[in-house]
Amino acid sequence: MTRLVLLAGEESNDDEEDVAASTKLWQAVKIIAIADAVMSLDNVIAIAMAARGSYALLMFGLAVSMAGAALIMALLERFPIIIWAGAALLGWIAGEIIAKDPLITGALDPAMAHSAWMVGGTLGAIFVLAVGLWRRRMVRRGPDEV
């Protein structure tokens, strides 16, 4: 959820005490390359499995994946509402999962289960958006105004 809130708010360089800054260009390039490789590994594995041994399909899948990522980044920069919609969707899913927990559903009448899931999803989405808006307001105020 922290990553979700970070996406929904504006960037702040004040909250990065745990990230080691690099004074050397090649060290920074190495850190970025490793992070990119780790984050892309699941996508590459999925494409390789879908290609089923065909190198042409593998290359096509990787090209489409990279072009799609560039397109999505351009859309996110142009239309930030997409980030908020994604945050609300993730909050909805989290709230629905919590509402579907056996501990909660066991205490409810089975006829009310669907309503509980809807309420849980709605509350989850509202919670994530509220935290994102609150964080955005705090970042805009700055440390002196809090």
Side-chain angles (χ1 to χ4, degrees):
M1 172 136 44
T2 303
R3 183 68 182 146
L4 179 64
V5 172
L6 290 176
L7 286 175
E10 294 180 2
E11 290 186 31
S12 170
N13 293 332
D14 299 335
D15 298 336
E16 299 178 0
E17 291 108 12
D18 58 337
V19 178
S22 174
T23 58
K24 298 181 181 175
L25 176 64
W26 287 112
Q27 186 178 5
V29 169
K30 181 177 135 183
I31 291 170
I32 292 170
I34 290 171
D36 188 38
V38 170
M39 290 186 296
S40 299
L41 184 60
D42 63 333
N43 192 25
V44 172
I45 290 171
I47 292 169
M49 293 301 295
R52 296 187 178 176
S54 170
Y55 289 115
L57 282 177
L58 179 65
M59 291 300 127
F60 177 74
L62 291 174
V64 168
S65 175
M66 291 185 336
L71 176 66
I72 288 171
M73 284 305 299
L75 287 172
L76 289 175
E77 288 176 4
R78 179 139 169 91
F79 304 107
I81 190 73
I82 297 171
I83 296 171
W84 289 97
L89 177 62
L90 289 174
W92 178 277
I93 293 169
E96 198 173 53
I97 288 171
I98 292 169
K100 287 181 180 181
D101 188 88
L103 182 67
I104 294 174
T105 57
L108 296 174
D109 180 23
M112 294 296 296
H114 181 71
S115 298
W117 299 344
M118 295 296 289
V119 169
T122 303
L123 291 176
I126 290 170
F127 175 76
V128 168
L129 292 176
V131 170
L133 288 170
W134 174 79
R135 183 184 178 281
R136 186 176 186 188
R137 180 178 291 167
M138 291 297 117
V139 168
R140 282 186 177 171
R141 278 189 186 170
D144 297 337
E145 298 177 32
V146 175

